[in-house]
């Protein structure tokens, strides 16, 4: 796995950080971290797709993001020495593999190597970029635009080459990801079906024409 996150580090520094990490495998449905639990490790996703889920004010749960190879989570635990709790639950949607660094190991690396600080900055910059984009989208974009953008991201997350990409999500899950209701998201999807951009199946949305969706 090539880690875009570690690209700024030289080979020796990259090796040092990767050697300090432990590799763990997970089965589909495994909960990797639980919202509200003490937050004490950083995880780099090496394989598989994972869901980021949060509890909602009405006592339900919603999937707010999906992660795949090259993504990471748990960086908030590295920020300061203060006790923190997990801001979300992370669940494996399929067999997955992560490299895990405990907060204590990371503190140790930071004390000895500047590369760990560079990594932490890269982690934070990545998350701030992503959350800023989401905030802009939530404030200014229409539901149609949000559905199109999320479908484009999902096609990239699940697709290997050109051609149809099967995204194994229900319309309900897509509605959670875009922050819309299922009926309103269904209307947007039906319009995309008429355009020949997607096909709908049970528990799956197939992106036929990725080029139609935003880059
Ligand atoms: N909207 C989001 N998108 C992607 N990852 C998130 C999002 N919100 C929280 N996370 C990750 O989920 C992790 C849960 O544990 P942490 O709070 O330690 O760190 C959190 C972030 O890394």
């Amino acid at each position: 796995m090539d880690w875009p996150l570690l690209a700024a580090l030289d080979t020796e520094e990259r090796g040092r950080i990767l050697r300090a990490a432990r590799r763990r495998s997970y089965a589909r449905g495994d909960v990797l971290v639980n919202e509200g639990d003490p937050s004490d490790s950083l995880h780099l996703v090496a394989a598989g797709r994972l869901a980021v889920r949060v509890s909602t004010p009405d006592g339900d749960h919603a999937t707010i993001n999906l992660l795949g190879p090259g993504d990471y989570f748990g960086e908030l635990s590295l920020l300061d020495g203060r006790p923190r709790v997990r801001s979300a639950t992370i669940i494996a949607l399929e067999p997955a593999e992560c490299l895990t660094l405990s907060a204590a190991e990371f503190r140790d690396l930071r004390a000895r190597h500047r590369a760990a600080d560079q990594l932490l900055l890269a982690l934070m910059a990545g998350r701030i970029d992503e959350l800023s984009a989401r905030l802009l989208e939530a404030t200014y974009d229409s539901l149609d635009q949000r559905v199109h953008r999320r479908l484009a991201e999902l096609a990239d997350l699940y697709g290997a080459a050109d051609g149809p990409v099967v995204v194994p999500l229900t319309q309900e899950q897509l509605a959670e990801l875009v922050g819309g209701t299922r009926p309103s998201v269904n209307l947007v999807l039906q319009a995309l079906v008429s355009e020949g951009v997607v096909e709908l199946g049970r528990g799956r949305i197939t992106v036929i024409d990725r080029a139609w969706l935003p880059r």
Side-chain angles (χ1 to χ4, degrees):
M1 166 87 223
D2 251 359
W3 301 97
L5 196 62
L6 304 181
L9 309 183
D10 69 31
T11 316
E12 193 186 330
E13 290 169 331
R14 197 162 35 239
R16 190 175 286 137
I17 284 173
L18 292 175
R19 276 193 304 279
R22 270 184 304 274
R23 188 174 282 266
R24 273 198 66 180
S25 301
Y26 301 90
R28 177 191 158 107
D30 278 357
V31 173
L32 284 72
V33 306
N34 230 322
E35 187 177 352
D37 280 357
S39 187
D40 55 7
S41 52
L42 163 72
H43 305 255
L44 308 178
V45 185
R49 285 126 182 148
L50 313 169
V52 182
R53 288 175 66 75
V54 293
S55 33
T56 55
D58 56 5
D60 214 345
H61 289 91
T63 299
I64 53 165
N65 213 339
L66 297 190
L67 306 175
D71 287 330
Y72 55 88
F73 61 93
E75 75 286 353
L76 298 180
S77 67
L78 308 177
L79 283 185
D80 50 31
R82 282 184 298 171
R84 287 177 175 271
V85 293
R86 296 293 186 195
S87 57
T89 294
I90 310 283
I91 301 178
L93 295 172
E94 57 194 39
E97 228 176 69
C98 289
L99 297 182
T100 299
L101 268 169
S102 74
E105 284 161 345
F106 195 80
R107 261 196 305 278
D108 198 43
L109 274 176
R110 278 186 83 187
R112 289 180 293 122
H113 305 289
R114 218 176 61 81
D117 276 338
Q118 277 175 271
L119 173 62
L120 186 53
L121 286 177
L123 291 165
M124 294 313 301
R127 190 66 77 215
I128 291 169
D129 277 351
E130 185 183 4
L131 294 180
S132 306
R134 285 293 184 100
L135 182 61
L136 275 178
E137 189 185 282
T139 311
Y140 296 110
D141 283 355
S142 65
L143 181 71
D144 291 49
Q145 288 170 312
R146 299 204 309 271
V147 170
H148 297 171
R149 209 183 304 278
R150 205 80 332 110
L151 277 175
E153 287 169 10
L154 289 167
D156 294 343
L157 181 67
Y158 280 95
D162 283 349
V165 179
V166 176
V167 176
L169 292 184
T170 61
Q171 293 185 36
E172 182 71 42
Q173 288 170 313
L174 180 63
E176 289 175 10
L177 284 170
V178 299
T181 63
R182 190 194 175 289
S184 55
V185 168
N186 178 258
L187 285 179
V188 180
L189 287 172
Q190 292 301 344
L192 292 175
V193 169
S194 328
E195 293 276 350
V197 179
V198 302
E199 280 175 9
L200 302 177
R202 208 180 163 75
R204 59 197 256 167
I205 300 163
T206 304
V207 176
I208 305 292
D209 187 358
R210 168 67 182 88
W212 192 97
L213 296 167
R215 258 294 128 209

